[in-house]
């Protein structure tokens, strides 16, 4: 599998500084409370720099984050919080001592699993790490919206006190694989010297339909409880890029 988020991780928090982690964490807390009111322990898959995890501890959860990028984990580990821990691990094959009430995987992490075997292994792994009737909550790219809207070239510019970052995203669509390769070219300008450095990363993203998720759930020991648009809670449609699924361990 493509190992991305290498150079990207240094700039991740700046690139997503406008992302509303508070609102998203509140949404996840409410979703957990709706389906498993007593849940306390949470496993976060692809925890990134630990932003959701940190906020979720404020709602009373103790959170264990696993994340493949060692650079992301080293940023997450700087958060000083006794109800948080992070491990460098691949979600397709990890083994922890504990079991959890809930597993979450937020901001399209599951869409980074482009192979069927990686998906099946991850879902089985999550199943092994959940307590009885534990929940698995994740958001993914939604095939009906991807086909309807078609990914486009995008440019994003962000500035900190010392840097200006420009990210060019060029999608390459692989219709017969339910995949979009997002080719990122990143330019970083140091504002004091005007020195520009560049790098490129390819992020292959898979999109899913609800019957596909349901099939995956049934074949790995889960049942699909619910699906809705991430954050807005609307019924998934051709306008819904990110759909949130709630699965329960059978
Ligand atoms: C878009 S980021 C989301 C990070 C974080 N959840 C957030 O919301 O900021 C996707 C993350 O998934 C991680 N990831 C992708 N595939 C993974 C795998 N197989 N095992 C562990 N982490 C993975 C990447 O390293 C990256 O940190």
């Amino acid at each position: 599998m493509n190992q991305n988020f290498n150079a990207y991780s240094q700039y991740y928090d700046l690139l997503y500084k406008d992302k509303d982690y508070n609102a998203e964490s509140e949404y996840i807390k409410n979703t957990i409370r709706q389906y498993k009111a007593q849940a306390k322990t949470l496993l976060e898959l692809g925890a990134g720099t630990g932003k959701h995890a940190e906020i979720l501890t404020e709602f009373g959860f103790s959170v264990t984050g696993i994340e493949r990028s060692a650079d992301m984990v080293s940023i997450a580990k700087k958060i000083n919080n006794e109800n948080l821990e992070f491990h460098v691990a691949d979600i397709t094959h990890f083994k922890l001592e504990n079991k959890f009430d809930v597993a979450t995987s937020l901001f399209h992490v599951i869409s980074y699993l482009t192979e069927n075997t990686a998906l099946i292994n991850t879902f089985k792994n999550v199943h092994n790490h959940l307590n009885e009737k534990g929940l698995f909550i994740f958001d993914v790219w939604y095939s009906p919206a991807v086909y309807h809207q078609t990914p486009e070239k995008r440019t994003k510019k962000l500035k900190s006190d010392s840097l200006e970052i420009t990210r060019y995203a060029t999608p390459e669509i692989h219709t017969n694989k339910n995949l979009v390769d997002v080719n990122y070219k990143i330019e970083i300008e140091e504002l004091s010297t005007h020195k520009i450095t560049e790098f490129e990363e390819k992020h292959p993203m898979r999109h899913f339909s609800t019957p596909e998720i349901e099939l995956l759930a049934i074949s790995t020991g889960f049942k699909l409880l619910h699906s809705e648009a991430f954050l807005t809670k609307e019924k998934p449609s051709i306008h819904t890029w990110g759909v949130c699924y709630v699965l329960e361990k059978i």
Side-chain angles (χ1 to χ4, degrees):
M1 197 191 303
N2 180 313
Q3 182 76 358
N4 41 34
F5 288 94
N6 289 333
Y8 202 81
S9 60
Q10 293 172 56
Y11 307 105
Y12 185 83
D13 286 339
L14 179 55
L15 278 164
Y16 293 109
K17 72 174 184 180
D18 297 328
K19 188 172 166 61
D20 195 344
Y21 281 96
N22 283 313
E24 293 185 8
S25 304
E26 174 91 23
Y27 164 81
I28 291 299
K29 181 253 296 175
N30 290 338
T31 308
I32 294 171
R33 292 287 172 246
Q34 183 176 348
Y35 293 98
K36 200 170 172 67
Q38 303 311 320
K40 274 254 164 248
T41 53
L42 201 151
L43 171 65
E44 200 194 346
L45 310 174
T49 56
K51 289 248 151 83
H52 291 114
E54 182 178 17
I55 301 165
L56 285 162
T57 63
E58 290 165 16
F59 299 132
F61 296 103
S62 65
V63 185
T64 299
I66 57 173
E67 164 57 54
R68 183 174 59 180
S69 157
D71 293 337
M72 299 283 245
V73 171
S74 69
I75 296 169
K77 280 190 166 170
K78 290 189 183 132
I79 305 168
N80 188 7
N81 183 324
E82 60 178 15
N83 293 315
L84 260 187
E85 61 180 63
F86 295 99
H87 304 278
V88 178
D90 194 309
I91 62 173
T92 63
H93 52 83
F94 64 94
K95 185 146 180 48
L96 300 171
E97 295 302 317
N98 301 339
K99 291 197 183 226
F100 301 84
D101 299 327
V102 184
T104 56
S105 192
L106 305 172
F107 199 13
H108 313 145
V109 174
I110 296 299
S111 281
Y112 281 85
L113 305 178
T114 56
E115 304 288 334
N116 288 339
T117 46
L119 285 160
I120 292 168
N121 290 342
T122 300
F123 277 53
K124 283 186 176 167
N125 243 334
V126 172
H127 189 275
N128 288 340
H129 285 84
L130 281 175
N131 291 322
E132 205 182 322
K133 291 193 162 218
L135 300 178
F136 183 21
I137 302 173
F138 55 91
D139 60 318
V140 286
W141 283 21
Y142 188 54
S143 299
V146 173
Y147 288 129
H148 183 73
Q149 296 174 31
T150 318
E152 311 171 323
K153 277 190 179 188
R154 289 210 172 142
T155 303
K156 185 167 181 178
K157 256 189 199 298
L158 285 145
K159 216 171 181 173
S160 71
D161 293 342
S162 55
L163 300 173
E164 181 168 86
I165 299 189
T166 312
R167 185 187 74 178
Y168 303 93
T170 309
E172 196 182 325
I173 300 165
H174 303 283
T175 310
N176 293 328
K177 293 184 170 175
N178 286 9
L179 276 190
V180 179
D181 285 339
V182 185
N183 297 295
Y184 288 121
K185 185 175 153 212
I186 320 264
E187 284 173 6
I188 298 125
E189 180 180 349
E190 278 173 38
L191 293 173
S192 58
T193 59
H194 296 292
K195 184 177 163 236
I196 294 182
T197 36
E198 287 183 5
F199 65 89
E200 293 183 10
E201 277 191 14
K202 181 194 278 198
H203 291 202
M205 302 295 290
R206 178 159 172 176
H207 48 85
F208 299 88
S209 64
T210 295
E212 197 181 357
I213 293 291
E214 192 162 24
L215 182 62
L216 195 52
I218 292 168
S219 53
T220 54
F222 289 98
K223 74 174 170 199
L224 175 59
L225 293 184
H226 184 62
S227 65
E228 64 185 22
F230 189 73
L231 278 183
T232 67
K233 299 178 81 65
E234 281 166 17
K235 192 172 173 208
S237 76
I238 54 173
H239 306 295
T240 318
W241 199 275
V243 169
C244 179
Y245 288 93
V246 183
L247 273 46
E248 184 185 71
K249 174 171 171 165
I250 311 172

